[in-house]
């Protein structure tokens, strides 16, 4: 049973990769690591291509250790990880489409991000009496992102759901190549708009890791405030939206009010409702003043007095509970296998939160709980988010009380380096890996959204549920299309 | 639940809450919008939103138009589920190669007369995604656009102003 550091030790360590080690490994070690992930001893956290090289990020959740394994593929081929460990399959399909590297023996030969010139996509089949198909998307009925869902149903019961994604592919990783850091930060913030702060933070932390640099303490706390405001806004909005998908519009209306108040407070403090262009490598470019702190204080007080009645409303409405309890159950084993992050994992017994397990400042100095449940249904996912709203409020108060004085940004040296970061967004762990050239430009940047390990699980969760419960299941996952498609 | 319903009856609606500066602006807009919408379209304008490659920030802010603070339905602006029911297509994103066909089809499925509003910086010219080989670089490259609403993303009030401008141009 080689542990993560044993695998790394057998490889050739690459200097200048921070904060976790990176090693060039042989094809045998590569497959050994894939087998460790398949056996559940390591968690696959990312798999991406580079010039003639593939990289695989692995986590040892118990010890909080992380590492990147790199394999050279001079012939443009590498042994498939997905062959042993299914969570890697879509990553490998995307890698083949975007980088032209071939995962040998990958179980799924179909393209993923590259939709080609209108060639028909071979959906998986389902056979049996009385089955019919329902095709939904890419343009949906609501104000949501584009993606295609192919349901095969027996009457009302879903027998198989297959997702087809890639509609929002904007080529962000290619745009990153050769970009200056400012442009890179802007692009990162626009990977998935609902996670603007999480991506800006992850990008900044990856750059800071590469340059071996720590931002001023005040900047760390202001980043924390922004991250928790973003979490609050998304959780509040989504709790209401999930109820709305069960036709309980009253909850949606009230939660929408609270979400709007969070966005207005963010606008008042930092000058942008979604806090865009606030976090940059080296610190933050928007400081918070006394008036801003007063706004936040009032916001926390407001939500504290408003939200409990909404929670009670959710809990005491039998017709709503009838829709959410036992609907869309994600089994804990699947959540573990896929390393599902965020509320999706935590509602199914995977109590992983980067803020706790691989703590980064300011969270290493703050007190908070990481709520976790094992029911894995829509109701459990709602409850995790309710609990996280409460935790975020407490975190905001703690950060305001401890907010250090001083500068908020430091200047960056111009040098080469490799850095990686893991940041807990509202949806789960965002991974960013990058390499900076001598000229200070981005040579390669990979951004992995938590949705990569959540989308496939939605297909499993809906099986045996009725078609009408799909919106509920989908909203309770709330995976990002844009974050996934890049 | 009863408590909430009773409170809803007795409390004043948020949309008429004492005006902060931007709320006053909203009220003035509402009056103009209502008059314009009535004049041109009878009583309502049906909007179909199409994400053609946005990062979803524009969607979040367009969603906010429906919350109790902005409540656009009171102006007769309504988001509909199908382009067949729409007068206006509200399009976001730089138009990715992979969404081009879907956008064209949605446009063709919308009955005449129809208007197209491009929302957000990247819908105008690709924004920060301009130059990517897999995006078309703006909505007007694919379908005729009547009005552009800049912003990244435009706040709800800006989108509302844009729709008003459109109504006055119709």
């Amino acid at each position: 049973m080689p542990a993560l550091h044993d695998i790394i030790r057998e490889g050739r360590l690459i200097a200048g990769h921070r904060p976790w080690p990176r090693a060039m490994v042989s094809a045998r070690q590569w497959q050994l690591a894939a087998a460790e992930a398949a056996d559940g001893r390591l968690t696959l956290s990312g798999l991406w291509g580079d010039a003639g090289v593939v990289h695989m990020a692995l986590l040892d959740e118990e010890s909080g250790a992380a590492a990147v394994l790199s394999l050279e593929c001079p012939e443009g081929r590498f042994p498939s990880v997905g062959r042993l460990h299914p969570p890697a399959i879509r990553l490998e399909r995307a890698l083949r489409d975007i980088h032209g590297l071939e995962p040998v023996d990958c179980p799924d030969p179909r393209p993923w991000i590259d939709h080609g010139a209108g060639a028909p996509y071979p959906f998986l089949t389902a056979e049996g009496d009385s089955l019919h198909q329902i095709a939904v998307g890419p343009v949906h009925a609501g104000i949501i992102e584009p993606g295609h869902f192919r349901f095969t149903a027996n009457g009302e019961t879903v027998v198989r759901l297959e997702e087809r994604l890639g509609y929002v592919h904007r080529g962000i990783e290619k745009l990153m190549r050769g970009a200056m850091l400012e442009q890179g930060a802007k692009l990162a913030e626009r990977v998935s708009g609902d996670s603007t702060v999480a991506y800006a933070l992850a990008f900044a932390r990856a750059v800071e890791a590469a340059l071996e640099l720590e931002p001023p303490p005040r900047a760390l706390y202001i980043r924390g405030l922004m991250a928790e405001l973003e979490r609050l806004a998304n959780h509040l909005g989504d709790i209401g939206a999930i109820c709305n998908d069960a036709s309980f519009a009253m909850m949606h209306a009230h939660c929408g009010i609270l979400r709007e108040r969070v966005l207005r407070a963010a606008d008042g403090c930092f000058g942008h409702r979604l806090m865009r262009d606030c976090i940059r490598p080296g610190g933050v470019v928007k400081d918070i003043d006394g008036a801003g702190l007063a706004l936040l204080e009032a916001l926390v007080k407001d939500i504290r007095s408003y939200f409990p009645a909404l929670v009670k409303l959710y809990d005491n409405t039998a017709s709503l509970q009838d829709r959410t309890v036992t609907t869309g159950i994600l089994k804990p084993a699947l959540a573990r296998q896929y390393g599902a992050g965020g509320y999706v994992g935590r509602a199914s017994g995977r109590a992983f939160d980067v803020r706790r397990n691989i703590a980064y400042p300011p969270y290493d100095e703050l007190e908070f709980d990481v709520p976790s449940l094992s029911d894995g249904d829509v109701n459990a996912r709602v409850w995790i988010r309710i609990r996280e709203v409460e935790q975020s409020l407490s975190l905001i108060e703690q950060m305001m009380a401890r907010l250090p004085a001083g500068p908020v940004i430091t200047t960056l040296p111009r040098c080469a380096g490799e850095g990686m970061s893991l940041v807990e967004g509202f949806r789960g762990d965002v991974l960013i890996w990058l390499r900076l050239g001598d000229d200070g430009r981005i040579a390669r940047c990979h951004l992995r959204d938590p949705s990569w390990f959540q989308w496939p699980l939605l297909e499993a969760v809906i099986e045996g549920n009725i078609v009408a419960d799909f919106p509920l299941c989908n909203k309770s996952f709330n995976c990002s299309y844009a974050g996934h498609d890049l | 639940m009863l408590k909430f319903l009773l409170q809803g009856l007795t409390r004043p609606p948020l949309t008429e809450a004492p005006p902060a500066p931007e709320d006053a602006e909203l009220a003035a807009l509402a009056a103009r919008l209502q008059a314009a919408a009535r004049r041109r379209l009878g009583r309502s304008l049906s909007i179909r939103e199409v994400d053609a490659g946005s990062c979803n920030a524009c969607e979040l802010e367009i969603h906010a138009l429906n919350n109790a603070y902005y409540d656009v339905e009171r102006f007769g602006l309504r988001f509909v589920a199908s382009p067949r029911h729409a007068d206006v297509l509200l399009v976001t994103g730089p138009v990715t190669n992979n969404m081009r066909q879907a956008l064209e089809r949605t446009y063709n499925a919308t009955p005449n007369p129809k208007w197209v509003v491009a929302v957000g910086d990247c819908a105008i010219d690709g924004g920060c995604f301009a130059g990517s080989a897999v995006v078309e670089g703006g909505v007007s490259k694919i379908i005729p656009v009547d009005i552009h609403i800049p912003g990244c993303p435009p706040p709800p009030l800006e989108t509302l102003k844009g729709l008003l401008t459109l109504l006055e141009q119709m």
Side-chain angles (χ1 to χ4, degrees):
Chain A
M1 301 306 128
L4 194 50
H5 58 85
D6 294 326
I7 301 177
I8 285 288
R9 204 160 43 206
E10 278 188 37
R12 180 166 57 85
L13 211 62
I14 301 292
H17 185 279
R18 286 173 287 266
W20 300 292
R22 173 165 93 83
M24 299 299 301
V25 296
S26 66
R28 193 190 63 83
Q29 289 163 326
W30 176 267
Q31 280 166 303
L32 198 70
E36 290 293 297
D39 287 344
R41 282 187 290 271
L42 295 173
T43 304
L44 177 73
S45 187
L47 183 68
W48 65 97
D50 203 343
V53 179
V54 279
H55 305 288
M56 167 160 59
L58 291 163
L59 300 181
D60 181 344
E61 287 180 32
E62 265 176 43
S63 66
V68 177
L69 304 185
S70 308
L71 174 68
E72 278 184 45
C73 9
E75 287 154 26
R77 298 146 63 87
F78 65 97
S80 165
V81 177
R83 184 175 66 87
L84 301 168
H85 188 48
I89 293 176
R90 285 186 181 174
L91 292 160
E92 289 183 343
R93 291 169 68 189
L95 213 155
R96 178 172 50 205
D97 286 357
I98 297 174
H99 297 281
L101 297 170
E102 178 63 31
V104 178
D105 294 332
C106 177
D108 197 333
R110 296 173 299 168
W112 182 238
I113 295 292
D114 183 2
H115 287 196
Y121 182 76
F123 283 96
L124 300 175
T125 52
E127 286 176 20
D129 288 336
S130 325
L131 296 184
H132 64 283
Q133 284 202 339
I134 309 170
V136 182
V139 178
H140 296 283
I143 305 171
I144 57 168
E145 300 182 75
H148 182 89
F149 299 111
R150 186 64 60 97
F151 298 92
T152 307
N154 185 347
E156 272 296 304
T157 308
V158 178
V159 179
R160 160 168 266 165
L161 161 66
E162 193 180 357
E163 297 152 1
R164 190 184 185 202
L165 302 173
Y167 291 93
V168 212
H169 177 54
R170 292 149 289 166
I172 290 182
E173 295 199 347
K174 276 206 177 118
L175 289 169
M176 281 279 191
R177 237 171 257 168
M180 297 296 289
L181 289 181
E182 172 65 21
Q183 178 64 6
K186 273 187 182 297
L187 281 168
E189 285 182 327
R190 284 150 184 86
V191 167
S192 182
D194 51 16
S195 303
T196 294
V197 173
Y199 271 93
L201 182 54
F203 181 81
R205 288 187 55 78
V207 172
E208 287 153 10
L211 299 177
E212 271 193 298
L213 167 110
E214 189 73 12
R218 185 175 175 85
L220 296 172
Y221 272 74
I222 291 177
R223 287 174 173 186
L225 285 174
M226 291 174 180
E228 295 311 314
L229 282 174
E230 179 173 270
R231 202 180 317 279
L232 267 182
N234 282 304
H235 280 351
L236 288 168
D238 286 349
I239 291 168
I242 293 167
C243 297
N244 197 44
D245 279 342
S247 300
F248 194 62
M250 186 158 71
M251 191 79 175
H252 184 49
H254 284 284
C255 288
I257 291 167
L258 285 181
R259 176 184 160 86
E260 179 68 20
R261 288 182 184 168
V262 176
L263 297 187
R264 288 181 178 200
D267 191 24
C269 292
F270 305 112
H272 193 287
R273 286 162 58 90
L274 302 178
M275 293 169 280
R276 279 208 161 144
D277 303 318
C278 293
I279 298 178
R280 285 295 175 262
V284 293
V285 288
K286 298 275 170 65
D287 201 350
I288 188 166
D289 55 12
L293 289 172
L295 269 179
L296 290 189
E297 205 172 312
L299 176 76
V300 170
K301 205 172 149 219
D302 181 27
I303 299 176
R304 280 246 163 86
S305 72
Y306 198 146
F307 192 57
L310 293 176
V311 176
K312 222 164 130 188
L313 178 65
Y314 173 77
D315 204 23
N316 290 344
T317 305
S319 58
L320 181 58
Q321 295 278 308
D322 185 46
R323 294 293 305 279
T324 59
V325 177
T326 72
T327 301
I329 295 174
L330 171 63
K331 294 198 180 80
L334 262 183
R336 227 178 14 254
Q337 183 190 8
Y338 276 73
Y343 44 83
V344 173
R346 292 194 281 274
S348 292
R350 183 176 181 258
F352 179 82
D353 186 321
V354 188
R355 294 174 298 168
R356 164 64 43 83
N357 297 65
I358 315 176
Y360 50 93
Y363 297 103
D364 48 355
E365 295 173 352
L366 304 173
E367 279 176 33
F368 61 101
D369 288 334
V370 176
S372 122
L373 292 166
S374 53
D375 301 340
D377 55 0
V378 172
N379 182 54
R381 288 186 282 278
V382 171
W383 273 107
I384 294 288
R385 301 183 84 168
I386 290 172
R387 293 287 169 247
E388 288 186 15
V389 166
E390 293 158 1
Q391 294 303 315
S392 288
L393 292 175
S394 151
L395 283 168
I396 289 175
E397 283 180 327
Q398 292 178 49
M399 286 187 274
M400 284 199 294
R402 292 166 176 228
L403 188 65
V408 294
I409 193 145
T410 126
T411 47
L412 303 177
R414 179 171 289 194
C415 58
E418 289 181 339
M420 177 170 140
S421 67
L422 273 165
V423 160
E424 188 75 18
F426 87 96
R427 185 180 276 122
D429 48 309
V430 172
L431 178 150
I432 293 189
W433 180 91
L434 53 75
R435 184 171 63 242
L436 301 177
D438 290 322
D439 54 358
R441 287 177 186 268
I442 300 164
R444 172 84 179 95
C445 177
H446 171 68
L447 315 100
R448 195 270 298 145
D449 196 85
S451 305
W452 277 99
F453 300 121
Q454 295 167 342
W455 272 121
L457 299 174
L458 183 61
E459 289 183 351
V461 151
I462 191 65
E463 202 183 308
N465 286 254
I466 59 172
V467 176
D469 278 342
F470 177 70
L472 259 177
C473 295
N474 190 21
K475 196 68 211 177
S476 75
F477 268 60
N478 192 19
C479 302
S480 173
Y481 301 70
H484 168 282
D485 295 350
L486 281 175
Chain B
M1 194 190 317
L2 201 59
K3 200 175 135 215
F4 269 93
L5 292 172
L6 284 172
Q7 277 177 356
L9 288 174
T10 52
R11 279 186 189 164
L14 284 166
T15 30
E16 288 175 16
E22 63 185 73
D23 285 346
E25 201 181 348
L26 184 63
L29 259 178
R32 281 168 65 201
L33 192 55
Q34 211 161 18
R38 287 253 164 98
R39 201 164 60 243
R40 328 259 167 187
L41 291 153
R43 290 189 168 270
S44 69
L45 189 63
S46 296
I47 304 168
R48 169 70 264 196
E49 200 269 347
V50 182
D51 175 341
S54 118
C55 68
N56 79 30
C58 286
E59 277 59 43
L60 292 172
E61 292 296 66
I62 290 169
H63 246 296
L65 284 170
N66 284 320
N67 76 29
Y69 282 92
Y70 304 102
D71 188 22
V72 289
E73 286 216 17
R74 69 194 154 129
F75 310 139
L77 298 177
R78 204 161 58 92
F79 287 93
V80 293
S82 164
R84 301 270 188 220
H85 307 155
D87 306 304
V88 171
L89 292 182
L90 208 58
V91 188
T92 64
V95 189
T96 58
N97 291 168
N98 291 349
M99 269 307 285
R100 181 188 174 134
Q101 191 188 38
L103 177 62
E104 285 169 341
R105 283 193 187 180
T106 307
Y107 181 76
N108 292 335
T110 310
N112 280 315
K114 57 188 163 193
W115 293 268
V116 175
V117 179
V119 178
D121 288 345
C122 58
I124 296 175
D125 58 1
C128 63
F129 309 116
S132 167
V134 294
V135 306
E136 306 285 343
V139 180
S140 59
K141 296 242 168 93
I142 309 301
I143 55 175
V145 173
D146 295 278
I147 191 167
H148 287 108
I149 302 175
C152 190
L157 215 56
E158 291 303 313
T159 306
L160 207 49
K161 280 184 198 163
L163 289 171
L164 173 66
T165 314
L166 173 76
L167 275 166
E168 290 183 340
Q169 279 176 5
M170 274 177 189

